Amino acid sequence: MHCCCGPNSPFETTLHYSSPAHGGWGVVRMGHLLPESYQLFVSPAACGRHGAIGAYMQGRKQRVSYLYLEEDDIVSGGYEELIADAAIELLEHLEHAGKLPKVLMIFVSCIDDLLGTDHEAIVQTLSEKRPDVRFTFCHMNPISMDTNVPPPVNIQNKIYSTLDPVQEKDAGVNLLGNLVPLRKTCEFFDLAAQMGAGPVRHVTDYQTFAQFQEMAKSQRNLVLTPAGKYSAEQMQKKHGIPYTMALVSYDPEEVTRTYQGIAKALGVPCPDTSAYEEACHKAMEETAKLLQGMPVVLDSEAAVRPFDFARGLLKHGFQVKRVLVQKVIPSDREAYAWVQQHAPDLSVQQPQHHKAVRFEDRLPDCLAVGYNSGYLTGSQHVVAADGQQGLFGYQGILDMMQMLREAASRTADLKGLIDAAGLVV
């Protein structure tokens, strides 16, 4: 445990501890956002096992198959041919079953990076044999987590890379980075319409691959989480679609600046949002009063930018005592600096630090926001949040306040919440 202030950084590079509450969607679930797609995982059995179990638990096994490699397959030099043969055999089986996909996503593991596989050559071979199917290589590669394109970023880019360029554009806007659609109660849809932007498009809107191609028509991409930025950059190069960062925030003033930025990017006046902002200030102050000083612990798996979340709560009287975060991402550094200055007693804990397993300084009476914070603090009051609740803008803040109030008023079944979430490391 470390304090946010002082010359010593609270962040260390150590052996990792992975708690039973740690995890997210996993690349299988994320890849399945692409309509009419199927997945072939190529890896040693141990590497694919956790993904296979996750797919089974989430009810996704019908859209994924596994080619488990043995040592002979790797050292024999026939690795690339093995992949191509397996892909063709799989497609023949799926076609016979009446389930031929429009896109086959071939996932490879860390071994593939070490072998230096020529993916383009394999795709060309497969495309010649099956021109009726798209092929794309994806990575399930934990060793790339500290790079600029870790698996969660890579898989989103692979999804949008299947969009074909179009000549005709419209006033639509794409929402990137968020894995679930925004809640329909969000004011964003009304404000976007007032700005002359629409339709609003998200990958979950489409049931077919052909319909999904509509996203290439949009005039602009809005990036709601940092993981979507790389996809937006690549779409700008390929499709000429500019992007605007519109990250989810739990600070009402930051939300206002986000809408102003969207309006500026679209070249239109920003609608009056003062009533929305005032409603958020009121709801946050009332929620803080209701909690009566109850300590709050925030989890980076519940909010991608936990220090932005902490700043918003601290401004409104919440007793934020701890933030669980492995490192500060670039888009959260400004908020982190604010927290260091205004809340020097707030502590930071790295949830994957090897010392986390000691369960020191637990806070059983806190309000834990996120599954991992609930597990590590031992709290009975847990907000079931994994960063994918469809929250955005002012309504996102109001909905989160409601989630905080409900969690504070009841005892949580953490194991049940984790099982229902279907988390995958």
Side-chain angles (χ1 to χ4, degrees), residues 202-232:
H202 187 259
V203 62
T204 57
D205 294 335
Y206 307 103
Q207 299 299 314
T208 70
F209 183 67
Q211 294 171 340
F212 169 65
Q213 296 297 318
E214 291 183 0
M215 293 191 74
K217 297 180 180 179
S218 295
Q219 64 165 322
R220 182 164 291 271
N221 286 323
L222 300 181
V223 181
L224 274 58
T225 72
K229 183 180 179 182
Y230 183 74
S231 299

Side-chain angles (χ1 to χ4, degrees), residues 6-261:
N8 297 322
S9 170
F11 303 102
E12 296 181 88
T13 300
T14 71
L15 293 175
H16 279 188
Y17 164 66
S18 183
S19 84
H22 169 64
W25 271 41
V27 293
V28 174
R29 186 178 179 185
M30 293 174 67
H32 280 164
L33 291 173
L34 180 61
E36 296 188 280
S37 65
Y38 196 93
Q39 299 175 4
L40 171 62
F41 275 74
V42 182
S43 70
C47 299
R49 185 177 296 118
H50 75 284
I53 294 173
Y56 176 79
M57 293 177 62
Q58 296 170 359
R60 300 177 178 279
K61 189 63 182 73
Q62 72 280 7
R63 290 181 62 190
V64 56
S65 295
Y66 290 82
L67 172 62
Y68 286 140
L69 302 173
E70 297 183 358
E71 186 175 351
D72 291 345
D73 299 323
I74 300 169
V75 300
S76 66
Y79 171 69
E80 295 187 5
E81 290 78 6
L82 187 65
I83 295 176
D85 292 344
I88 294 299
E89 181 180 348
L90 173 61
L91 290 174
E92 291 174 351
H93 169 76
L94 293 173
E95 185 173 32
H96 181 73
K99 300 179 180 179
L100 185 68
K102 292 293 191 295
V103 182
L104 180 62
M105 309 177 81
I106 304 175
F107 282 81
V108 291
S109 64
C110 310
I111 288 177
D112 188 89
D113 290 73
L114 301 176
L115 293 175
T117 308
D118 189 342
H119 299 142
E120 293 183 3
I122 297 177
V123 168
Q124 181 177 349
T125 298
L126 292 173
S127 299
E128 291 173 353
K129 293 183 178 180
R130 294 302 306 241
D132 53 340
V133 177
R134 300 279 189 97
F135 299 91
T136 183
F137 272 85
C138 308
H139 289 262
M140 179 190 66
N141 187 350
I143 65 174
S144 67
M145 285 302 296
D146 292 330
T147 69
N148 293 329
V149 191
V153 172
N154 177 271
I155 186 61
Q156 292 196 49
N157 178 55
K158 292 297 182 177
I159 289 172
Y160 297 110
S161 70
T162 62
L163 292 171
D164 295 324
V166 297
Q167 294 296 324
E168 183 180 351
K169 298 286 186 178
D170 61 21
V173 292
N174 297 325
L175 304 182
L176 303 184
N178 55 317
L179 304 180
V180 299
L182 298 189
R183 297 184 181 184
K184 295 303 181 183
T185 54
C186 182
E187 78 287 336
F188 170 78
F189 298 100
D190 179 59
L191 294 177
Q194 292 184 47
M195 296 182 202
V200 177
R201 297 183 171 114
H202 187 259
V203 62
T204 57
D205 294 335
Y206 307 103
Q207 299 299 314
T208 70
F209 183 67
Q211 294 171 340
F212 169 65
Q213 296 297 318
E214 291 183 0
M215 293 191 74
K217 297 180 180 179
S218 295
Q219 64 165 322
R220 182 164 291 271
N221 286 323
L222 300 181
V223 181
L224 274 58
T225 72
K229 183 180 179 182
Y230 183 74
S231 299
E233 292 172 342
Q234 301 310 304
M235 289 178 70
Q236 181 167 317
K237 294 177 182 178
K238 180 178 178 180
H239 301 278
I241 304 176
Y243 70 91
T244 299
M245 300 301 292
L247 301 178
V248 175
S249 175
Y250 293 101
D251 184 336
E253 296 172 352
E254 182 68 19
V255 172
T256 297
R257 287 190 287 270
T258 296
Y259 277 120
Q260 292 171 346

